[in-house]
Amino acid sequence: MTSTTTPVEGPHRGRRRSLLVGVAVAVAAVVGSLAAAGTGSGQAARTPVGRAGGLTPSIELLPLSTSSDRRIVDSAGRQVLLRGANVNSLGEYWQGDPTEAPTVAVTGTDWDAMAAHGFSVVRLLITWSRIEPVRGQIDQGYLDQVDAAVRAAAAHGIYSVIDMHQDAFSAHTATPLPVDCPPGTGPAKGWDGAPAWAVITDGLSTCTPGERNAAPAVRAAWNHFWDDTDGIRTRFAASWGAVAARFAGRPEVAGYDLLNEPEASRPAAELTPIYEAFLLQVIRSIRAAEAGAPFEHLVFVEPALPAGNLAYGLVIPDPNRAGVDRRNIVASVHNYAESIQQGITIEGLNDVIESITAGMGLPQWGGEYGFWDTSPATLAKVARYAADEDRRRWGGAWWQWRQACGDPHSVGWDGSGWAAPHGAVVHLNTLSCPGDTVGVPTEPFLRVLGRAYPRATPGTLDHLVSDPTTGQLSVEATATAAGGELVVWAPTADDAEHRVTTSGLVGVSQRAVPGGRIITATVAAPGPYSLRIGGDPLPSTTTTVPVPTTAPGGGGLSGSRSG
């Protein structure tokens, strides 16, 4: 069909979210819901994945857990920063434009590029509709594809957070063509999530007054899910059990994001106990599947957002519930301040997130954030987000690595049907549409995301400042014992402006890898230590380290990064 130029959407453009609602629900919903989740010992065995060849020497993907002081740590006792991007290639999206595929396959070149920009994690999107396309039948072939992606990431030194993704509940809530919508409403796209057999809409209209979750059919589908009508919520939990069984004891899997941005489709007082029950049901299914494994995976819990009707308010269970076991539970609140969400700053929303998660004793991991143009004003926001993330010593995943021309976020209504846009779709990689013509990596974004940072820090990371413009890095930490190995990613060469100096560390070395270098050092004694790249020298106890001119398997070291 003939396409007119339509704006390309970010991940949730047009979604009427209350900022504080989204934050509060995300983490408050965790507290009352985990008392009986059966989280087990929480002791992670040291079962490393094989070191990642010439790409990432000295990197082991050890089992992860949470600490009592709200950090993500590995089984060697090191604080781990999980930083990278969302990868949607394995998701099953609605295809609105029949000439455009909704996803682009991830390739070896992609994994190489992620490693060459220092990624330590991908948030790997999977879809219930592909796990259980027929009720009661788990598609092991699909899990084989997920497994292959997890292994490919691990071979490049990258953890996977497996994310059960959904938007507007399902691909099967699109308005059928030809469109016949009531006045004041318009046709709705399909999105992703539940299989067709689990979508119960009571025959209500799919047309929407604007926000994608506001369509009566979508609201009905969510309410039937929450109520476990016909056992559909129970089947969702069973699907998670199948995923957890496949990856039990696999340290390269950081953990499981239970459900992307679930909808608060009824008033908070009514939904709160139901949401608690859902969380318990899914976590129990995962933990049962992990029984007998040497460790349990992290569980990431997200907001229940009242996007369709903000009057529904917060979904907050009783925060004073006794016996809550917070071990290996991580809050994951998405921060789209100043990109989609307006009225609050990036730093201000992070302040709210921190206050709530701190009060609940949970680490925070930013499962989604992002920007979709490279104007000077936007790049200034990108830099501020990075600086605040460093200040808080948080990890997160940029939305997203690549977005297809036929992705529901991309397509728009041209008056008679859905069509891919004409022009650039800008994420970490830029595509030209229509046709998914691969352009060049979006270097202004990747330069910031790929800035220097400590991947694994013995003890507690106390201070982190990384300048993506100059390549300078300052890391300060406190160790409780000698002997732990610090692992740092840096996208720079060992030149006069980027020398490594350290204090309280011994055995400092660095290896060239595509895109930069991996720096390792051993803690000399309990207490404070530091590492700096560039800038003023550290005190007299520092060590300056030379770098080899080539990496194993060939390839010179340079200050640039391949995409």
Side-chain angles (χ1 to χ4, degrees):
M1 66 183 66
T2 302
S3 173
T4 58
T5 301
T6 56
V8 176
E9 296 188 5
H12 312 289
R13 183 163 295 171
R15 182 163 190 165
R16 296 175 297 159
R17 290 200 252 184
S18 164
L19 300 176
L20 301 186
V21 166
V23 176
V25 173
V27 287
V30 179
V31 171
S33 58
L34 304 181
T39 54
S41 67
Q43 297 301 312
R46 187 182 174 94
T47 311
V49 169
R51 292 173 184 264
L55 283 173
T56 48
S58 301
I59 293 176
E60 292 178 322
L61 302 183
L62 300 175
L64 301 178
S65 60
T66 62
S67 67
S68 60
D69 57 352
R70 304 174 56 240
R71 294 174 297 123
I72 295 174
V73 298
D74 66 16
S75 56
R78 302 178 298 181
Q79 183 169 347
V80 173
L81 292 183
L82 297 173
R83 290 185 171 179
N86 284 263
V87 173
N88 74 354
S89 298
L90 296 179
E92 184 173 40
Y93 283 109
W94 167 81
Q95 186 174 8
D97 185 336
T99 68
E100 297 286 345
T103 60
V104 177
V106 63
T107 67
T109 300
D110 290 316
W111 296 119
D112 290 348
M114 292 179 211
H117 287 90
F119 285 21
S120 61
V121 74
V122 291
R123 184 173 180 250
L124 186 64
L125 278 62
I126 64 172
T127 313
W128 184 18
S129 61
R130 293 199 65 191
I131 297 168
E132 194 178 10
V134 177
R135 184 179 179 124
Q137 298 181 24
I138 301 300
D139 188 343
Q140 295 296 334
Y142 178 58
L143 294 185
D144 289 343
Q145 295 177 44
V146 178
D147 202 328
V150 167
R151 292 180 185 275
H156 291 76
I158 299 171
Y159 284 101
S160 293
V161 171
I162 298 177
D163 162 49
M164 192 75 79
H165 210 76
Q166 73 77 33
D167 298 286
F169 194 73
S170 176
H172 302 283
T173 54
T175 302
L177 300 178
V179 170
D180 183 18
C181 286
T185 68
K189 304 176 188 181
W191 288 89
D192 58 292
W197 58 262
V199 180
I200 304 172
T201 66
D202 300 327
L204 296 175
S205 174
T206 59
C207 298
T208 176
E211 204 282 319
R212 65 188 179 190
N213 285 282
V218 174
R219 300 266 292 279
W222 273 111
N223 282 327
H224 282 295
F225 176 77
W226 293 129
D227 290 341
D228 202 17
T229 302
D230 197 28
I232 56 175
R233 197 185 79 192
T234 297
R235 287 307 316 161
F236 178 86
S239 290
W240 255 125
V243 174
R246 170 62 72 103
F247 295 102
R250 299 272 294 274
E252 69 269 36
V253 173
Y256 306 121
D257 193 331
L258 298 186
L259 183 58
N260 179 69
E261 297 186 355
E263 173 70 8
S265 55
R266 60 181 70 174
E270 183 180 348
L271 184 58
T272 294
I274 299 171
Y275 188 54
E276 289 182 356
F278 162 76
L279 292 174
L280 288 167
Q281 184 179 30
V282 175
I283 292 170
R284 283 171 171 163
S285 181
I286 290 171
R287 296 308 185 214
E290 294 181 319
F295 66 95
E296 63 185 22
H297 285 101
L298 300 175
V299 169
F300 296 82
V301 179
E302 290 197 35
L305 298 170
N309 185 344
L310 294 181
Y312 284 167
L314 307 183
V315 180
I316 303 177
D318 180 9
N320 299 313
R321 186 181 303 272
V324 173
D325 188 347
R326 297 181 177 88
R327 289 176 298 176
N328 296 338
I329 307 298
V330 180
S332 182
V333 186
H334 302 167
N335 185 345
Y336 285 112
E338 300 186 60
S339 59
I340 298 171
Q341 301 165 320
Q342 303 301 321
I344 190 169
T345 65
I346 293 163
E347 298 85 354
L349 185 50
N350 279 339
D351 284 342
V352 176
I353 294 170
E354 172 61 19
S355 67
I356 297 173
T357 55
M360 308 178 81
L362 297 175
Q364 155 66 9
W365 184 71
E368 290 184 22
Y369 68 96
F371 303 85
W372 304 285
D373 72 81
T374 56
S375 67
T378 294
L379 293 180
K381 296 174 186 177
V382 172
R384 284 173 43 222
Y385 189 102
D388 202 53
E389 185 181 54
D390 287 346
R391 181 175 68 86
R392 300 173 193 275
R393 283 88 73 196
W394 282 356
W398 183 291
W399 184 271
Q400 60 182 321
W401 181 246
R402 180 183 289 114
Q403 180 171 298
C405 300
D407 186 304
H409 299 104
S410 299
V411 300
W413 183 254
D414 69 0
S416 60
W418 299 102
H422 285 270
V425 179
V426 181
H427 285 261
L428 291 177
N429 290 272
T430 297
L431 295 182
S432 179
C433 296
D436 285 332
T437 304
V438 177
V440 295
T442 312
E443 274 302 321
F445 291 167
L446 286 166
R447 187 177 303 114
V448 178
L449 182 57
R451 66 194 182 279
Y453 72 101
R455 289 182 51 126
T457 305
T460 301
L461 179 60
D462 300 317
H463 170 82
L464 170 59
V465 175
S466 182
D467 189 331
T469 300
T470 65
Q472 295 182 351
L473 173 71
S474 177
V475 174
E476 297 175 7
T478 304
T480 57
E485 183 183 59
L486 172 69
V487 179
V488 172
W489 154 259
T492 54
D494 180 42
D495 53 31
E497 295 181 353
H498 301 106
R499 299 292 183 186
V500 176
T501 60
T502 68
S503 176
L505 296 167
V506 296
V508 186
S509 66
Q510 47 188 322
R511 298 277 301 277
V513 296
R517 49 183 166 160
I518 298 292
I519 303 163
T520 60
T522 301
V523 174
Y529 65 91
S530 57
L531 179 144
R532 184 168 295 168
I533 297 174
D536 296 332
L538 287 164
S540 58
T541 55
T542 63
T543 305
T544 301
V545 188
V547 65
T549 57
T550 59
L557 175 69
S558 72
S560 63
R561 295 164 293 192
S562 64

